[in-house]
Amino acid sequence: MKFSISREALLTPLQIISGVVERKQTMPVLSNILVVANEQGVALTGTNMEVELLCRISDVEVVENGEITIPAKKLSDICRSLTDSHDIEFKVEGDRVHLRAGKSHFVLSSLPAEHFPNTENEKNDYSLKVPQQELKKMLDATAFAMAQQDVRYYLNGMLFEISHKHLRTVATDGHRLALATFVTETGVTEDNPKQIIIPRKGVLELSRLLNDDKDVELVFSDSHLRSTIGSYTFTSKIIEGKFPDYNRVIPRGGDKFVVADRQDLKAVFMRAGILSHENIRGIRLNLSENQLEVSANNPEHEQAEDYIEVDYSGDTLQIGFNVGYLIDVMNAIDDEKVKLTLSNPNSSALVEAVNDDTAIYVVMPMRL
Amino acid sequence: MRKIIHIDADSFYASVEIRENPALATRPVAVGGSPDKRGVIATCNYIARSFGVRSAMSSAKALQLCPDLVFVKPTFELYRTVSRQMQQIFREYTELIEPLSLDEAYLDVSACKQCQGSATRIAEEIRQKIRQQLQLTVSAGVANNKFLAKVASDWNKPDGIFVITPKQVDEFVRQLPVSKINGVGKVTAKKMASLGIKTCGDLQTLNQASLTEHFGSYGLRLYELAKGVDERPVESNRVRKSQSVEHTFDDDLPSLDAVLDKSIDVYDELLRRYGKICDQYLVTKRFVKVKFADFSQTTLEESMGSYSRNWQNLADYTQLIETAWRRKGKPVRLLGMGVRLKEIKIDASTPQLSLF
């Protein structure tokens, strides 16, 4: 294998692909990037066995075809440290890979390409086209609520629900839930909606790839989601398991409607949060006519008390929340005003933007 | 002098299931995976045991031994709740509680004032309360240390109690079969038998040096246990770092095929053991150990990386075993599998409410 490539053409793909390659691996080949050179150019692939990312680079001069795997981090570090003034030449000699750029010369170890796991090509089950910007918006609006290391492993991911009239993303860690909907013709029949869980890592990587105005096609097979975005092909495993019935936990009976400025509300939460218990992070909301009092205290008997003007008329209510959950929602909403719907101290709060119905948020309270 | 009680619920999962569905009471019942899916028995009731059915046995084999066996899928959520209710009862007597799993715990009642400080009467009261409040039977062992308390709870099982007073310790251990010692498995027992050791009394005749010579670092511990000495405290906030299973084989496993074949049993046992503590710990890593016939050993550990994947995957373990085995590629005398754990901090007082 032998080819030359400009540093510029290589650097960005290398950095994006290195993002899925994990540092510590039991299988050494997984810390490598697969490099395939042929008439079409060069293709780079990285995987963590759950998410695979492939990039095709055509702006390259291939002298001799071939395929090999090269340590991802070292390759990416080398590429970053070089300057743009010279092209980089790759040449495989025996089991070593020689990299030359100007006066620099590196000899890297390699592993045979056959050792690299390839995701089998399954029969495509279903595909859906959505505008990239819409999908990105949905992912970014809900990803924060995914669980991180929950024993209920199906919560460490995001539910993609495709009904006959919408694509919906849902994420929850059991304490709060985020749901975003994009209304679209899906071609799915009304009585046969699909529910697919994409792992956390897959969701985060997919979101990073979505950045132009074109459509993106999501192709689902039995056990994978695949999508080609620009010169990248993203493949993620699907998590087996049943996602909880999210409809059941969206509150419907709230009778206390509060509208407030999002930035102001967030600022009040953040101030009070400073003196909440550092692990439990509970704050107390006291709602009364056009006023919300936010207070917190901690085991050191320090106290915070703050007030904000809100639109509210109705009975008073005292309710506790993990302040982190509230701040997360304030960050995820992209609107000037937010609306909170509450009912009693033991029932969840529904939070949404006033002028944007993309997403809704459900947050369970804390016992005071 | 310490007063330690070991409480062990009788066929816990099965008893809880029968309590929930009394129609099962007169039938052989096993909790575990179904026989058509390569499942394993977690627990079975005493009727099933009379047919030879045992914990960790494959469900298919159990069904052969006992064709009328009723299989019940485990409902861990329920066992956890009942386990917490039992601990609530323990807490009426002491805060020094060391739960070993959902169905087993050590209690240090040395400082307990109830029942005039009689550990035996405390144990009886606890058994009675569990019977009345939870409709379950537990067995209790009472002694001056953890080792003997645990041996004692097994003595009159099920629904029994056995007390080893300090005066009885010497006589009791002298006739105690070595197989009753926690850690002396089939293979070690066989080795002891070949040295003419059948009871702890026999074991007492060996000095520390020869015990170490025969049993390695475990020899020193054996020296103490043989005399009925065990200084380990009851640790109420003991945090496990890992859970593992090791099988030593009577005959060395000659080939990779044999190794992979036996791996399945080790894996099933690991699942069974983790099931008992799954409410308290999260798995962060999986690891394996392979000890070759020449006693050299190798271990391999793998971070779970992504938590969005169920760690319970046989293929991942056999892959690790295979990689480890290839380092030497020789006959194998021992296989081990385990998980590194992270404590799930469930503070009972946590005020956060849940959606589901």
Side-chain angles (χ1 to χ4, degrees):
Chain A
M1 187 177 81
K2 187 176 171 185
F3 63 87
S4 300
I5 188 168
S6 73
R7 173 180 177 266
E8 203 188 351
L10 185 61
L11 188 58
T12 311
L14 212 46
Q15 284 179 337
I16 290 180
I17 288 170
S18 299
V20 300
V21 177
E22 275 158 30
R23 238 10 107 69
K24 279 200 208 149
Q25 287 294 350
T26 331
M27 274 170 75
V29 76
L30 289 183
S31 42
N32 285 12
I33 279 184
L34 173 69
V35 182
V36 179
N38 56 29
E39 293 75 15
Q40 283 92 51
V42 167
L44 307 176
T45 310
T47 180
N48 71 350
M49 299 291 274
E50 187 174 68
V51 179
E52 180 197 273
L53 216 49
L54 175 150
C55 180
R56 275 174 218 82
I57 307 169
S58 50
D59 185 15
V60 51
E61 195 183 321
V62 177
V63 181
E64 189 190 335
N65 293 356
E67 50 182 36
I68 194 126
T69 77
I70 310 174
K73 177 154 191 332
K74 289 172 191 158
L75 180 59
S76 153
D77 285 353
I78 288 170
C79 196
R80 218 179 27 232
S81 67
L82 290 169
T83 61
D84 269 331
S85 49
H86 296 278
D87 281 359
I88 306 170
E89 184 202 77
F90 283 70
K91 187 166 183 235
V92 176
E93 287 173 28
D95 61 355
R96 303 269 130 177
V97 181
H98 291 253
L99 257 60
R100 287 189 179 83
K103 290 181 182 130
S104 312
H105 180 199
F106 305 88
V107 185
L108 280 169
S109 67
S110 74
L111 285 167
E114 304 91 82
H115 291 192
F116 200 79
N118 55 338
T119 32
E120 60 267 45
N121 265 315
E122 295 171 316
K123 196 165 72 65
N124 295 337
D125 196 32
Y126 170 76
S127 72
L128 175 70
K129 266 198 183 136
V130 282
Q132 286 195 27
Q133 290 310 321
E134 290 295 338
L135 182 60
K136 186 171 175 62
K137 198 168 146 194
M138 292 173 77
L139 297 182
D140 294 351
T142 52
F144 72 90
M146 290 188 284
Q148 302 224 19
Q149 303 180 358
D150 203 291
V151 273
R152 296 162 293 181
Y153 56 94
Y154 46 83
L155 295 186
N156 305 323
M158 182 179 282
L159 174 73
F160 282 55
E161 183 188 75
I162 304 154
S163 80
H164 63 291
K165 56 179 198 298
H166 68 231
L167 166 67
R168 179 167 278 170
T169 58
V170 187
T172 177
D173 64 1
H175 298 315
R176 33 79 182 269
L177 177 144
L179 177 156
T181 309
F182 175 62
V183 177
T184 180
E185 284 291 320
T186 62
V188 169
T189 54
E190 191 170 345
D191 52 353
N192 196 21
K194 291 173 186 300
Q195 289 210 327
I196 293 130
I197 310 170
I198 303 300
R200 188 183 167 80
K201 179 90 175 162
V203 170
L204 302 177
E205 293 298 330
L206 177 59
S207 164
R208 291 213 299 171
L209 293 174
L210 301 169
N211 50 20
D212 68 25
D213 299 330
K214 300 200 187 82
D215 279 358
V216 55
E217 186 175 27
L218 302 173
V219 182
F220 298 95
S221 64
D222 247 9
S223 55
H224 290 92
L225 161 65
R226 179 164 291 179
S227 187
T228 297
I229 302 153
S231 52
Y232 294 91
T233 298
F234 161 91
T235 310
S236 169
K237 273 198 178 158
I238 288 170
I239 300 182
E240 283 177 38
K242 175 129 181 56
F243 204 79
D245 180 6
Y246 65 85
N247 272 311
R248 207 165 49 84
V249 300
I250 296 171
R252 320 241 175 236
D255 56 355
K256 300 182 176 61
F257 308 101
V258 187
V259 173
D261 182 272
R262 179 178 65 93
Q263 291 292 359
D264 291 351
L265 197 54
K266 180 181 158 189
V268 171
F269 290 154
M270 291 185 66
R271 284 196 292 269
I274 297 168
L275 296 186
S276 65
H277 186 292
E278 60 182 314
N279 298 328
I280 300 174
R281 305 213 68 201
I283 59 164
R284 191 184 296 258
L285 308 189
N286 258 314
L287 188 60
S288 56
E289 196 80 19
N290 289 334
Q291 178 181 280
L292 179 66
E293 179 198 342
V294 180
S295 59
N297 54 46
N298 61 20
E300 291 82 44
H301 301 292
E302 296 164 316
Q303 289 176 23
E305 202 179 276
D306 214 326
Y307 295 86
I308 177 176
E309 210 173 288
V310 297
D311 292 342
Y312 176 70
S313 57
D315 294 343
T316 58
L317 172 71
Q318 192 176 77
I319 185 168
F321 285 106
N322 178 327
V323 68
Y325 295 163
L326 295 178
I327 293 170
D328 282 347
V329 173
M330 294 303 127
N331 285 332
I333 289 177
D334 182 17
D335 192 6
E336 213 175 300
K337 295 217 176 270
V338 294
K339 178 176 158 193
L340 282 71
T341 307
L342 302 156
S343 58
N344 65 57
N346 294 314
S347 303
S348 59
L350 182 70
V351 191
E352 55 206 316
V354 169
N355 299 309
D356 180 1
D357 57 1
T358 309
I360 60 170
Y361 302 93
V362 181
V363 183
M364 274 310 270
M366 266 183 175
R367 246 181 259 112
L368 289 171
Chain B
M1 195 215 44
R2 296 192 299 157
K3 298 173 198 166
I4 311 293
I5 302 176
H6 179 253
I7 300 278
D8 192 354
D10 302 322
S11 57
F12 183 57
Y13 301 169
S15 303
V16 173
E17 293 296 344
I18 291 166
R19 182 188 81 176
E20 298 300 306
N21 180 5
L24 296 174
T26 54
R27 307 180 58 187
V29 176
V31 177
S34 74
D36 49 322
K37 282 197 193 143
R38 244 189 36 79
V40 179
I41 307 278
T43 323
C44 57
N45 69 352
Y46 282 83
I47 304 178
R49 286 181 204 195
S50 69
F51 287 87
V53 179
R54 294 286 179 270
S55 301
M57 179 180 273
S58 79
S59 299
K61 182 169 179 209
L63 197 61
Q64 274 175 12
L65 292 170
C66 177
D68 294 329
L69 191 60
V70 181
F71 286 92
V72 183
K73 262 180 67 179
T75 41
F76 286 105
E77 205 47 56
L78 176 63
Y79 311 149
R80 272 173 225 146
T81 310
V82 178
S83 183
R84 277 196 288 269
Q85 289 166 337
M86 286 205 288
Q87 290 199 18
Q88 213 54 54
I89 293 173
F90 303 157
R91 222 163 272 135
E92 294 172 23
Y93 299 90
T94 177
E95 286 295 324
L96 275 176
I97 302 166
E98 179 180 332
L100 295 175
S101 62
L102 291 177
D103 57 353
E104 228 184 302
Y106 288 115
L107 281 56
D108 185 331
V109 294
S110 310
C112 185
K113 297 278 188 294
Q114 284 117 310
C115 308
Q116 279 101 44
S118 159
T120 307
R121 283 175 49 203
I122 292 169
E124 273 299 9
E125 270 194 26
I126 288 175
R127 280 171 22 83
Q128 195 186 346
K129 283 184 183 169
I130 291 177
R131 192 181 306 118
Q132 282 170 357
Q133 295 173 21
L134 305 176
Q135 292 86 49
L136 293 169
T137 64
V138 300
S139 297
V142 183
N144 61 2
N145 64 46
K146 281 164 57 165
F147 162 52
L148 292 174
K150 184 158 171 132
V151 170
S153 72
D154 194 44
W155 213 254
N156 283 327
K157 214 169 183 17
D159 197 12
I161 180 168
F162 188 71
V163 182
I164 305 170
T165 63
K167 271 189 220 136
Q168 296 164 336
V169 169
D170 284 341
E171 196 192 329
F172 181 81
V173 291
R174 225 172 293 133
Q175 47 72 46
L176 186 70
V178 288
S179 59
K180 293 280 180 187
I181 300 175
N182 201 3
V184 175
K186 216 173 41 169
V187 174
T188 311
K190 211 165 142 186
K191 186 167 170 187
M192 288 181 176
S194 74
L195 296 166
I197 302 167
K198 290 204 169 58
T199 64
C200 288
D202 299 336
L203 208 52
Q204 285 172 11
T205 61
L206 272 68
N207 61 20
Q208 288 173 328
S210 60
L211 281 169
T212 310
E213 182 195 329
H214 291 297
F215 306 104
S217 56
Y218 186 50
L220 291 179
R221 172 125 181 94
L222 278 175
Y223 180 78
E224 294 204 322
L225 293 180
K227 294 187 298 183
V229 174
D230 178 14
E231 299 293 349
R232 290 173 304 160
V234 170
E235 292 177 87
S236 52
N237 48 6
R238 175 170 166 243
V239 178
R240 273 176 190 274
K241 293 276 185 331
S242 64
Q243 171 79 283
S244 62
V245 177
E246 291 185 356
H247 278 202
T248 310
F249 299 98
D250 286 344
D251 301 307
D252 293 339
L253 306 175
S255 63
L256 179 61
D257 282 346
V259 166
L260 294 181
D261 183 47
K262 291 293 179 194
S263 296
I264 300 172
D265 300 340
V266 183
Y267 173 74
D268 286 339
E269 175 65 15
L270 177 65
L271 289 195
R272 200 179 70 84
R273 290 201 195 166
Y274 175 71
K276 291 183 154 200
I277 55 161
C278 61
D279 61 325
Q280 305 161 54
Y281 297 96
L282 182 71
V283 171
T284 57
K285 287 177 182 171
R286 53 168 86 87
F287 62 89
V288 300
K289 173 164 150 185
V290 176
K291 199 182 238 179
F292 296 99
D294 62 2
F295 281 85
S296 65
Q297 67 173 48
T298 183
T299 58
L300 189 55
E301 187 159 316
E302 175 178 57
S303 166
M304 291 303 295
S306 160
Y307 289 90
S308 54
R309 192 142 165 219
N310 194 348
W311 72 271
Q312 298 176 5
N313 185 349
L314 175 63
D316 289 331
Y317 269 98
T318 49
Q319 168 77 48
L320 282 185
I321 289 272
E322 182 170 343
T323 311
W325 180 81
R326 285 196 189 284
R327 289 176 177 170
K328 239 182 182 154
K330 285 187 179 166
V332 168
R333 60 175 273 113
L334 175 149
L335 287 178
M337 289 183 191
V339 284
R340 299 263 175 251
L341 302 170
K342 193 176 135 191
E343 198 186 8
I344 303 171
K345 295 263 192 298
I346 358 172
D347 187 354
S349 63
T350 183
Q352 175 67 51
L353 303 174
S354 288
L355 283 165
F356 317 111

